[in-house]
Amino acid sequence: MAFFLAPDDRTAAGAHRGGPQGRFAAVTGRHFDAEDAVDDWDAYFVGPSSEQLFWQRTDWIVPVTHDGSGTFALPPRLTRALADAGAEELEDLADRWSERLRHEDGEDMTDDDLLAVLQAVAGLATRTGPAGGRLYCWFA
């Protein structure tokens, strides 16, 4: 899977076949569910009682296809929150995310460095804006 920066939805959809690596600034992850990760991140910044969590309003650019791949846009408010997050917030979020994964996946938990993933995605988020594009996630 990869979180990536693209100028618009059409361009992001074009990256679906084969993924964005090499064509866009991207952050890769291997062993965690992208949708769950975005839900965790969104809940951290918005609050777990929000009625607008990811699964209720996913902006699918390429809905999940027969091969199990898909591309979605991260919510603008989450992108802003990640761009504005300080080091301590990202560390706290990574700790919470790790704890949930450890609780759910146990021995099968990802070996990805979750803090590094978050920091890199937050770095991409700082590059979005009026002319900078939008954050997307591609997974297969």
Side-chain angles (χ1 to χ4, degrees), residues 44-45 81-82 85-95 114-115 118-120 122-123:
Y44 177 83
F45 290 111
L82 287 167
E88 288 182 21
E89 280 182 300
L90 293 175
E91 288 174 18
D92 185 46
L93 174 53
D95 289 344
L114 299 181
L115 177 57
L118 269 171
Q119 290 169 330

Side-chain angles (χ1 to χ4, degrees), residues 1-24 26 34-35 59-73 136-140:
M1 113 205 32
F3 295 94
F4 67 102
L5 181 63
D8 54 48
D9 292 354
R10 182 182 166 134
T11 305
H16 183 74
R17 178 173 242 156
Q21 295 87 341
R23 295 186 281 175
F24 300 96
E35 295 169 275
D59 188 0
W60 290 101
I61 305 306
V62 178
V64 178
T65 60
H66 68 281
D67 65 356
S69 64
T71 302
F72 62 85
Y136 298 89
C137 181
W138 169 85
F139 61 91

Side-chain angles (χ1 to χ4, degrees), residues 30-107:
R30 294 183 307 267
H31 303 115
F32 59 86
D33 183 276
E35 295 169 275
D36 287 347
V38 170
D39 251 351
D40 286 348
W41 304 347
D42 204 22
Y44 177 83
F45 290 111
V46 175
S49 63
S50 172
E51 292 182 11
Q52 295 185 6
L53 292 179
F54 171 81
W55 60 270
Q56 295 174 321
R57 43 123 188 92
T58 304
D59 188 0
W60 290 101
I61 305 306
V62 178
V64 178
T65 60
H66 68 281
D67 65 356
S69 64
T71 302
F72 62 85
L74 274 65
R77 71 170 181 228
L78 176 57
T79 300
R80 283 188 303 275
L82 287 167
D84 295 340
E88 288 182 21
E89 280 182 300
L90 293 175
E91 288 174 18
D92 185 46
L93 174 53
D95 289 344
R96 290 179 189 208
W97 184 26
S98 296
E99 183 59 36
R100 186 194 57 80
L101 290 176
R102 198 172 294 108
H103 176 74
E104 289 183 4
D105 300 339
E107 297 280 331

